[in-house]
């Protein structure tokens, strides 16, 4: 079933997406990450292990929910080449030799993350 965002987007918006927007479950996110950024799979597993350990210690599911949202945002960035390029450029400019470029980098990085979070929240309803 297409997400609400997918149904309101134009077909052209999705031509360059390597995978459809995954469900916000660990398995779906892992499968999508395996396609769009497989080198990050060990990091994903490590954060999953840490989140489950915290959930047990805290007797709360909030660490698991937080981890799923973080990876949904990350996969959302990685599956969109335009957003992934902006993200990479902003990260690389954080320590740019040009002061103006370095000052703008955190704003751009924040804008990219905000855009990805909005997409995640739009799917969640």
């Amino acid at each position: 079933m297409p997400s609400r965002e997918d149904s309101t987007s134009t077909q052209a918006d999705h031509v360059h997406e390597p995978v459809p927007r995954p469900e916000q479950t660990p398995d779906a996110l892992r499968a999508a990450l395996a396609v769009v950024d497989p080198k990050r799979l060990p990091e994903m597993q490590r954060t999953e292990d840490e989140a489950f350990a915290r959930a047990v210690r805290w007797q709360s599911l909030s660490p698991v929910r937080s981890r799923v949202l973080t990876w949904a945002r990350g996969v959302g960035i990685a599956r969109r080449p335009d957003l992934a390029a902006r993200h990479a450029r902003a990260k690389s400019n954080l320590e740019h030799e040009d002061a103006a470029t370095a000052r703008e980098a955190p704003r751009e990085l924040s804008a990219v993350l905000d855009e990805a979070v909005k997409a995640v929240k739009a799917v969640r309803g």
Side-chain angles (χ1 to χ4, degrees):
M1 167 184 280
S3 72
R4 192 169 7 143
E5 180 186 326
D6 288 341
S7 65
T8 60
S9 301
T10 65
Q11 184 68 21
D13 291 338
H14 300 283
V15 170
H16 300 294
E17 292 177 350
V19 296
R21 182 177 310 284
E23 291 183 29
Q24 291 180 27
T25 65
D27 289 340
L29 292 169
R30 189 177 301 104
L33 190 64
V35 173
V36 297
D37 199 357
K39 68 185 179 306
R40 293 191 68 198
L41 285 169
E43 176 189 358
M44 182 183 233
Q45 184 61 54
R46 181 182 46 76
T47 63
E48 182 176 301
D49 294 346
E50 291 168 356
F52 280 105
R54 272 194 305 279
V56 170
R57 273 195 317 275
W58 297 356
Q59 296 183 1
S60 169
L61 290 177
S62 63
V64 175
R65 287 187 192 115
S66 176
R67 180 229 172 236
V68 168
L69 291 176
T70 297
W71 281 101
R73 181 189 67 193
V75 168
I77 292 169
R79 64 184 277 281
R80 284 189 43 200
D82 62 318
L83 212 51
R86 285 177 55 203
H87 185 259
R89 189 171 37 257
K91 282 179 68 174
S92 71
N93 285 341
L94 289 171
E95 297 184 26
H96 198 278
E97 60 188 38
D98 177 63
T101 301
R103 277 192 306 272
E104 177 57 29
R107 284 187 279 275
E108 174 64 2
L109 188 57
S110 181
V112 168
L113 295 174
D114 286 349
E115 188 173 334
V117 167
K118 284 179 188 173
V120 168
K121 287 182 178 180
V123 172
R124 292 176 63 206

